[in-house]
Structure formats: structure tokens, C-alpha cells
């Protein structure tokens, strides 16, 4: 496979790793993006006592929060509790979390002054990440996922920290000064590789790359400003399965396939029936329930989940997930119900 050989470890539940290899003969594995988060009462209790930055940077808290959905939901994979923006701290940016979301300081900078840290500097800066992975690997009997933001998404937060939902500065630079924008993306790719390498070397079983803001791009721009740099990351990680998630992924199917990742995580803008006809058999498929659907009554959730599972019946490469992260106001009981439905299939 393009992502290299899977690691050997003594896991009791290998459904995710089997699906990533296209050889799962059991029910589909289920894990959920943002599965440790604000919808959980147990998470809210921890958050009452700690800031988000503390929760992202202290290995005891990272470990405890990562394990919450494992213990409470009996999920098939854990994902390291972290944030896609943490690697930007290695460039000298301060990170703040307010009511309007994350912000980076300083908000103005010169691309020419940004310098990629060395491997040793990254390892020292993010020792809490590698330590957390090692602690979790001692506890877990299911696979552990690491992750990073994709170059375009990381760059967009640097350029539009104050009004990120608009991405005006990002798109202005992209169109007005493509050379400078490409230079920034190269740097973001290098940072992502170093950050993912820390997690892989510490023992994660797979990684996911989140291109959470790529959905603002037309297919040509996606090819030019996302695919090239995602390929660079995948080439640098030959020894671990890599899942690529992009908001708007159903509009970039051809471009995502060209990456030849281990798996593509799809949003809900196309049916899985249609997607599996397009995606080559050597690439696993993950997704794609609309997170808002978890606001529905349980009988509607049941119908939707069973319909999704029927679409992917006997597909040995399928991983059940959402088309984006769990929303803060999602009823906890509905999330538990969803996981139990998939596991009963």
C-alpha cells in the first residue's frame, strides 16, 4: 500500500487497521471525528477546571481526555486529544482560545522571517505529545490515531486568525502573490511532517490529515494549493497508514484519489454508493454521516445508520465515521446510540 506497512502491536481490536488494509471481514469499525469534546458531560467537568491550552499541552490531561470516548462509548479507535494549530507554536506564534475560536499572535508577520525548526527542536517543543502517545499505547487495546492540520488549513489560520471564517487574506494572497503563498505552504508542509513524525515515532498506529478549510477552493485551486503539499506529506510518511480528510471532499474526489492515500474521509455531499464506484479498491473509504443528523430522533438515526451500512455492506475497506466533527450541542445519548448501532451490525 502507498502508506507503507502497518505496525505490529498487541491490539485486541484491529478492525480499523484491517479496514485500512482492505481486509476487514467483520462489521465496519467506528470512530468519530472530535469524539472527545464538548458534547460529553465528563469532558465538560474537566474543562471547568482547565483552560483549553492546558488540556492540549499536559500529557496527563491529554491521556485522560483521549480515553473518555474509549471508556464511555467503547469506540474502535482513539484519536490523540490535541488541536491542529499546535504545530504553529514552533514558529513562534502564541495560541489563544476564546469564545470566537482560536487566535494566533502576532496576527501580522513576514513569510521571509519564518523558519522551519529542526527535528530536535520540534521533539523538544512537543515532548508532551510523544509522551502522551507512549502513555496511551500502554493503556489502549484499540488503534491510536495521530493527526495534523494540512498545509492549506494551517496557512489559512496564520493569514486569517482574526476572521477565519471569511479567509479573505488567505485568498487574496493566493491569487495576488501565488509565489509567496506557495512558499508558505511549503513551510506548512514541513511543519506538518515534523509534527506527524513525532507522533509516528512515539507509536501511533495511523494518522489523519485535516484540511478543514479546503472546501472554499475550486477544484483547480485545490489541485494547485492542496494536492501538491499533501503529496509531500504522504511521501514523507511511508511507514504509517494515512487518512486524508478535506472539507468539501466529495467535490475533490479525483484530486484526492490522485494522492493514493491509505484512506479518504468523505463528507456527506455524495452518497457512499456513488463514491465507492469512483474510489479504487486499494484506498479505504471513511465517512460520511452529517453531524447534524445526530440531532434527530433515535428512530431516524437508526434508519440512517442502517441505510449507510447497507450501502457499504461487505465492503472490506469501509470505516464508519461522520462527514465532519461532532458538534458541541449534540445529545450525548444519541452519540452513544449511534456507536452501539454500528457495533450491532
Amino acid at each position: 500500500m502507498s502508506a507503507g506497512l502497518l505496525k505490529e502491536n498487541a491490539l485486541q481490536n484491529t478492525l480499523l487497521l484491517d479496514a485500512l488494509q482492505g481486509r476487514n471481514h467483520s462489521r465496519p469499525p467506528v470512530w468519530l471525528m472530535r469524539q472527545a469534546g464538548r458534547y460529553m458531560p465528563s469532558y465538560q467537568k474537566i474543562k471547568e477546571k482547565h483552560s483549553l491550552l492546558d488540556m492540549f499541552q499536559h500529557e496527563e490531561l491529554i491521556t485522560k481526555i483521549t480515553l473518555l470516548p474509549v471508556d464511555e462509548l467503547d469506540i474502535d479507535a482513539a484519536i490523540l486529544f490535541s488541536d491542529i494549530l499546535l504545530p504553529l507554536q514552533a514558529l513562534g506564534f502564541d495560541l489563544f482560545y476564546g469564545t470566537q475560536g482560536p487566535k494566533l499572535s502576532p496576527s501580522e508577520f513576514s513569510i521571509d522571517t519564518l523558519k522551519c525548526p529542526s527535528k530536535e527542536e520540534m521533539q523538544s517543543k512537543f515532548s508532551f505529545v510523544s509522551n502522551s502517545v507512549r502513555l496511551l499505547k500502554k493503556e489502549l487495546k484499540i488503534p491510536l490515531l495521530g493527526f495534523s492540520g494540512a498545509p492549506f488549513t494551517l496557512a489559512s489560520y496564520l493569514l486569517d486568525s482574526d476572521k477565519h471564517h471569511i479567509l479573505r487574506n488567505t485568498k487574496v494572497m493566493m491569487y495576488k502573490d501565488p509565489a509567496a503563498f506557495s512558499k508558505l505552504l511549503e513551510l506548512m508542509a514541513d511543519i506538518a511532517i515534523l509534527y506527524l513524525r513525532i507522533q509516528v515515532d512515539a507509536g501511533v498506529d495511523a494518522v489523519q490529515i485535516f484540511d478543514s478549510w479546503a472546501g472554499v477552493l475550486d477544484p483547480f485551486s485545490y489541485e494547485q494549493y492542496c494536492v501538491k503539499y499533501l503529496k509531500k506529506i504522504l511521501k514523507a510518511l511511508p511507514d504509517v497508514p494515512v487518512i486524508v480528510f478535506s472539507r468539501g471532499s466529495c467535490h475533490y474526489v479525483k484530486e484526492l484519489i490522485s494522492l493514493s492515500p491509505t484512506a479518504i474521509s468523505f463528507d456527506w455531499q455524495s452518497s457512499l454508493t456513488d463514491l465507492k464506484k469512483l474510489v479504487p479498491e486499494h484506498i479505504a473509504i471513511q465517512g460520511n454521516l452529517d453531524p447534524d443528523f445526530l440531532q434527530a430522533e433515535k428512530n431516524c438515526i437508526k434508519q440512517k445508520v442502517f441505510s449507510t451500512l447497507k450501502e457499504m455492506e461487505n465492503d472490506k475497506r469501509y470505516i464508519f465515521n461522520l462527514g465532519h466533527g461532532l458538534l458541541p450541542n449534540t445529545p450525548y445519548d444519541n452519540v452513544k446510540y449511534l456507536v452501539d448501532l454500528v457495533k450491532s451490525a
Side-chain angles (χ1 to χ4, degrees):
M1 295 180 66
S2 62
L5 298 175
L6 295 173
K7 294 185 175 182
E8 296 288 337
N9 58 55
L11 300 176
Q12 293 179 358
N13 179 340
T14 62
L15 290 176
L16 176 72
L17 301 183
D18 291 341
L20 287 170
Q21 285 191 315
R23 64 180 190 188
N24 178 33
H25 296 277
S26 184
R27 63 167 177 82
V30 53
W31 73 277
L32 306 171
M33 287 184 276
R34 215 178 289 148
Q35 62 189 19
R38 286 175 286 176
Y39 76 97
M40 306 182 82
S42 55
Y43 174 90
Q44 291 287 9
K45 288 182 181 179
I46 297 173
K47 193 171 181 292
E48 288 174 2
K49 300 178 182 179
H50 303 278
S51 70
L52 264 178
L53 201 55
D54 282 342
M55 292 160 71
F56 290 140
Q57 293 185 325
H58 289 82
E59 53 207 58
E60 297 85 359
L61 291 172
I62 295 169
T63 303
K64 183 175 183 178
I65 296 169
T66 300
L67 292 173
L68 289 179
V70 178
D71 297 335
E72 296 181 25
L73 303 178
D74 195 20
I75 212 86
D76 291 318
I79 184 166
L80 187 70
F81 181 73
S82 187
D83 186 80
I84 61 173
L85 299 185
L86 286 188
L88 298 178
Q89 292 178 312
L91 295 173
F93 290 92
D94 292 321
L95 185 56
F96 305 93
Y97 294 91
T99 56
Q100 301 300 315
K103 290 188 177 183
L104 291 156
S105 177
S107 57
E108 295 185 3
F109 61 93
S110 169
I111 293 175
D112 292 331
T113 64
L114 297 180
K115 180 183 177 182
C116 186
S118 68
K119 178 181 178 181
E120 292 72 24
E121 288 170 332
M122 284 289 287
Q123 289 172 333
S124 175
K125 180 75 174 179
F126 298 108
S127 59
F128 61 88
V129 172
S130 53
N131 290 338
S132 298
V133 170
R134 294 187 184 102
L135 287 170
L136 285 162
K137 289 299 293 180
K138 293 178 181 178
E139 298 283 334
L140 289 167
K141 298 301 181 182
I142 58 176
L144 175 63
L145 291 157
F147 71 92
S148 174
F152 178 83
T153 290
L154 291 175
S156 71
Y157 275 103
L158 279 181
L159 295 168
D160 282 289
S161 178
D162 291 333
K163 296 182 178 179
H164 190 261
H165 62 288
I166 300 174
L167 294 194
R168 181 166 295 138
N169 294 333
T170 302
K171 296 186 81 173
V172 166
M173 175 176 278
M174 185 176 75
Y175 292 130
K176 189 175 181 179
D177 194 349
F181 191 60
S182 296
K183 182 178 180 180
L184 181 60
L185 292 175
E186 285 283 355
L187 175 62
M188 295 298 100
D190 291 339
I191 288 286
I193 289 168
L194 288 170
Y195 188 65
L196 288 167
R197 192 75 250 171
I198 288 170
Q199 298 170 68
V200 173
D201 290 346
V204 296
D205 299 287
V207 297
Q208 179 157 313
I209 303 171
F210 286 84
D211 217 346
S212 304
W213 290 95
V216 303
L217 300 174
D218 61 86
F220 175 81
S221 296
Y222 185 86
E223 176 75 38
Q224 189 172 6
Y225 296 113
C226 293
V227 170
K228 174 182 176 181
Y229 305 98
L230 291 170
K231 281 183 177 178
K232 181 176 182 178
I233 296 174
L234 266 67
K235 186 177 180 180
L237 300 170
D239 54 338
V240 63
V242 180
I243 305 168
V244 176
F245 166 78
S246 175
R247 189 179 293 193
S249 51
C250 287
H251 300 299
Y252 311 130
V253 179
K254 180 184 72 173
E255 292 79 9
L256 287 165
I257 290 172
S258 74
L259 294 169
S260 195
T262 314
I264 301 172
S265 191
F266 285 106
D267 62 23
W268 57 93
Q269 300 299 318
S270 291
S271 73
L272 290 173
T273 298
D274 292 336
L275 290 169
K276 70 179 180 180
K277 294 175 183 176
L278 301 172
V279 179
E281 291 186 1
H282 71 278
I283 299 176
I285 295 173
Q286 179 175 279
N288 69 340
L289 185 71
D290 183 348
D292 284 318
F293 205 89
L294 285 169
Q295 302 291 336
E297 298 296 326
K298 283 188 170 63
N299 63 319
C300 294
I301 295 173
K302 182 177 182 179
Q303 291 175 13
K304 181 64 175 175
V305 168
F306 283 177
S307 172
T308 300
L309 294 174
K310 185 67 176 176
E311 284 186 278
M312 301 302 287
E313 190 174 21
N314 298 321
D315 195 310
K316 300 177 181 63
R317 57 180 173 157
Y318 176 56
I319 302 161
F320 191 100
N321 208 314
L322 305 177
H324 202 267
L326 277 163
L327 300 169
N329 62 343
T330 305
Y332 174 84
D333 288 346
N334 285 1
V335 179
K336 175 64 174 170
Y337 182 66
L338 170 76
V339 174
D340 288 344
L341 283 174
V342 178
K343 294 187 68 176
S344 70

